[in-house]
PDB file of all heavy atoms in Angstrom:
ATOM      1  N   VAL A  70    -170.823 109.037  -1.644  1.00 86.00           N
ATOM      2  CA  VAL A  70    -171.192 107.957  -0.623  1.00 86.00           C
ATOM      3  C   VAL A  70    -171.159 106.635  -1.336  1.00 86.00           C
ATOM      4  O   VAL A  70    -171.668 106.381  -2.471  1.00 86.00           O
ATOM      5  CB  VAL A  70    -172.600 108.278  -0.131  1.00 86.00           C
ATOM      6  CG1 VAL A  70    -173.060 107.157   0.799  1.00 86.00           C
ATOM      7  CG2 VAL A  70    -172.722 109.674   0.556  1.00 86.00           C
ATOM      8  N   MET A  71    -170.557 105.683  -0.621  1.00 83.00           N
ATOM      9  CA  MET A  71    -170.512 104.305  -1.097  1.00 83.00           C
ATOM     10  C   MET A  71    -171.518 103.413  -0.426  1.00 83.00           C
ATOM     11  O   MET A  71    -171.610 103.426   0.835  1.00 83.00           O
ATOM     12  CB  MET A  71    -169.094 103.809  -0.930  1.00 83.00           C
ATOM     13  CG  MET A  71    -168.071 104.366  -1.832  1.00 83.00           C
ATOM     14  SD  MET A  71    -166.358 103.874  -1.415  1.00 83.00           S
ATOM     15  CE  MET A  71    -166.116 104.885   0.124  1.00 83.00           C
ATOM     16  N   ASP A  72    -172.339 102.719  -1.120  1.00 81.00           N
ATOM     17  CA  ASP A  72    -173.308 101.791  -0.659  1.00 81.00           C
ATOM     18  C   ASP A  72    -172.630 100.420  -0.674  1.00 81.00           C
ATOM     19  O   ASP A  72    -172.435  99.866  -1.718  1.00 81.00           O
ATOM     20  CB  ASP A  72    -174.539 101.811  -1.513  1.00 81.00           C
ATOM     21  CG  ASP A  72    -175.765 101.118  -0.870  1.00 81.00           C
ATOM     22  OD1 ASP A  72    -175.508 100.341   0.130  1.00 81.00           O
ATOM     23  OD2 ASP A  72    -176.894 101.307  -1.281  1.00 81.00           O
ATOM     24  N   ILE A  73    -172.308  99.899   0.499  1.00 77.00           N
ATOM     25  CA  ILE A  73    -171.562  98.634   0.553  1.00 77.00           C
ATOM     26  C   ILE A  73    -172.570  97.461   0.586  1.00 77.00           C
ATOM     27  O   ILE A  73    -173.435  97.393   1.443  1.00 77.00           O
ATOM     28  CB  ILE A  73    -170.723  98.580   1.878  1.00 77.00           C
ATOM     29  CG1 ILE A  73    -169.875  99.871   2.030  1.00 77.00           C
ATOM     30  CG2 ILE A  73    -169.850  97.356   1.819  1.00 77.00           C
ATOM     31  CD1 ILE A  73    -168.935 100.129   0.904  1.00 77.00           C
ATOM     32  N   MET A  74    -172.511  96.640  -0.442  1.00 67.00           N
ATOM     33  CA  MET A  74    -173.433  95.526  -0.602  1.00 67.00           C
ATOM     34  C   MET A  74    -172.967  94.301   0.294  1.00 67.00           C
ATOM     35  O   MET A  74    -171.785  94.230   0.666  1.00 67.00           O
ATOM     36  CB  MET A  74    -173.595  95.162  -2.047  1.00 67.00           C
ATOM     37  CG  MET A  74    -173.767  96.392  -3.010  1.00 67.00           C
ATOM     38  SD  MET A  74    -175.235  97.381  -2.615  1.00 67.00           S
ATOM     39  CE  MET A  74    -176.524  96.216  -3.260  1.00 67.00           C
ATOM     40  N   THR A  75    -173.930  93.371   0.441  1.00 58.00           N
ATOM     41  CA  THR A  75    -173.608  92.214   1.198  1.00 58.00           C
ATOM     42  C   THR A  75    -172.596  91.325   0.594  1.00 58.00           C
ATOM     43  O   THR A  75    -171.876  90.550   1.191  1.00 58.00           O
ATOM     44  CB  THR A  75    -174.888  91.369   1.476  1.00 58.00           C
ATOM     45  OG1 THR A  75    -175.472  91.073   0.251  1.00 58.00           O
ATOM     46  CG2 THR A  75    -175.812  92.129   2.338  1.00 58.00           C
ATOM     47  N   ASP A  76    -172.411  91.427  -0.797  1.00 58.00           N
ATOM     48  CA  ASP A  76    -171.406  90.593  -1.519  1.00 58.00           C
ATOM     49  C   ASP A  76    -170.076  91.378  -1.673  1.00 58.00           C
ATOM     50  O   ASP A  76    -169.284  91.058  -2.485  1.00 58.00           O
ATOM     51  CB  ASP A  76    -171.996  90.160  -2.802  1.00 58.00           C
ATOM     52  CG  ASP A  76    -172.438  91.286  -3.679  1.00 58.00           C
ATOM     53  OD1 ASP A  76    -172.306  92.397  -3.236  1.00 58.00           O
ATOM     54  OD2 ASP A  76    -172.966  90.991  -4.743  1.00 58.00           O
ATOM     55  N   ASP A  77    -169.893  92.404  -0.817  1.00 65.00           N
ATOM     56  CA  ASP A  77    -168.669  93.268  -0.860  1.00 65.00           C
ATOM     57  C   ASP A  77    -168.632  94.140  -2.042  1.00 65.00           C
ATOM     58  O   ASP A  77    -167.625  94.811  -2.366  1.00 65.00           O
ATOM     59  CB  ASP A  77    -167.478  92.345  -0.797  1.00 65.00           C
ATOM     60  CG  ASP A  77    -167.311  91.762   0.608  1.00 65.00           C
ATOM     61  OD1 ASP A  77    -167.763  92.370   1.542  1.00 65.00           O
ATOM     62  OD2 ASP A  77    -166.697  90.659   0.719  1.00 65.00           O
ATOM     63  N   LYS A  78    -169.613  94.212  -2.902  1.00 70.00           N
ATOM     64  CA  LYS A  78    -169.632  95.053  -4.053  1.00 70.00           C
ATOM     65  C   LYS A  78    -170.043  96.514  -3.502  1.00 70.00           C
ATOM     66  O   LYS A  78    -170.603  96.650  -2.528  1.00 70.00           O
ATOM     67  CB  LYS A  78    -170.661  94.687  -5.130  1.00 70.00           C
ATOM     68  CG  LYS A  78    -170.278  93.335  -5.788  1.00 70.00           C
ATOM     69  CD  LYS A  78    -171.274  93.057  -6.866  1.00 70.00           C
ATOM     70  CE  LYS A  78    -170.866  91.753  -7.605  1.00 70.00           C
ATOM     71  NZ  LYS A  78    -171.857  91.348  -8.657  1.00 70.00           N
ATOM     72  N   LYS A  79    -169.638  97.549  -4.265  1.00 75.00           N
ATOM     73  CA  LYS A  79    -169.849  98.855  -3.788  1.00 75.00           C
ATOM     74  C   LYS A  79    -170.587  99.664  -4.947  1.00 75.00           C
ATOM     75  O   LYS A  79    -170.203  99.526  -6.165  1.00 75.00           O
ATOM     76  CB  LYS A  79    -168.639  99.633  -3.454  1.00 75.00           C
ATOM     77  CG  LYS A  79    -167.799  99.022  -2.319  1.00 75.00           C
ATOM     78  CD  LYS A  79    -166.533  99.799  -2.032  1.00 75.00           C
ATOM     79  CE  LYS A  79    -165.734  99.164  -0.828  1.00 75.00           C
ATOM     80  NZ  LYS A  79    -164.554  99.890  -0.530  1.00 75.00           N
ATOM     81  N   ILE A  80    -171.597 100.352  -4.581  1.00 78.00           N
ATOM     82  CA  ILE A  80    -172.227 101.296  -5.538  1.00 78.00           C
ATOM     83  C   ILE A  80    -171.811 102.712  -5.094  1.00 78.00           C
ATOM     84  O   ILE A  80    -172.027 103.104  -3.891  1.00 78.00           O
ATOM     85  CB  ILE A  80    -173.740 101.164  -5.464  1.00 78.00           C
ATOM     86  CG1 ILE A  80    -174.232  99.829  -5.866  1.00 78.00           C
ATOM     87  CG2 ILE A  80    -174.420 102.239  -6.356  1.00 78.00           C
ATOM     88  CD1 ILE A  80    -175.711  99.543  -5.754  1.00 78.00           C
ATOM     89  N   VAL A  81    -171.253 103.452  -5.992  1.00 81.00           N
ATOM     90  CA  VAL A  81    -170.730 104.814  -5.674  1.00 81.00           C
ATOM     91  C   VAL A  81    -171.757 105.800  -6.114  1.00 81.00           C
ATOM     92  O   VAL A  81    -172.155 105.904  -7.252  1.00 81.00           O
ATOM     93  CB  VAL A  81    -169.445 105.114  -6.398  1.00 81.00           C
ATOM     94  CG1 VAL A  81    -168.901 106.528  -6.148  1.00 81.00           C
ATOM     95  CG2 VAL A  81    -168.286 104.015  -5.978  1.00 81.00           C
ATOM     96  N   HIS A  82    -172.227 106.574  -5.156  1.00 83.00           N
ATOM     97  CA  HIS A  82    -173.203 107.630  -5.401  1.00 83.00           C
ATOM     98  C   HIS A  82    -172.517 109.004  -5.252  1.00 83.00           C
ATOM     99  O   HIS A  82    -171.760 109.243  -4.341  1.00 83.00           O
ATOM    100  CB  HIS A  82    -174.335 107.602  -4.355  1.00 83.00           C
ATOM    101  CG  HIS A  82    -175.047 106.341  -4.309  1.00 83.00           C
ATOM    102  ND1 HIS A  82    -176.154 106.017  -5.106  1.00 83.00           N
ATOM    103  CD2 HIS A  82    -174.818 105.211  -3.521  1.00 83.00           C
ATOM    104  CE1 HIS A  82    -176.565 104.812  -4.759  1.00 83.00           C
ATOM    105  NE2 HIS A  82    -175.830 104.292  -3.918  1.00 83.00           N
TER     106      HIS A  82
END
Side-chain angles (χ1 to χ4, degrees):
V70 177
M71 290 170 286
D72 193 343
I73 312 299
M74 314 299 287
T75 55
D76 54 3
D77 292 330
K78 293 182 179 179
K79 298 180 181 180
I80 299 176
V81 177
H82 302 273

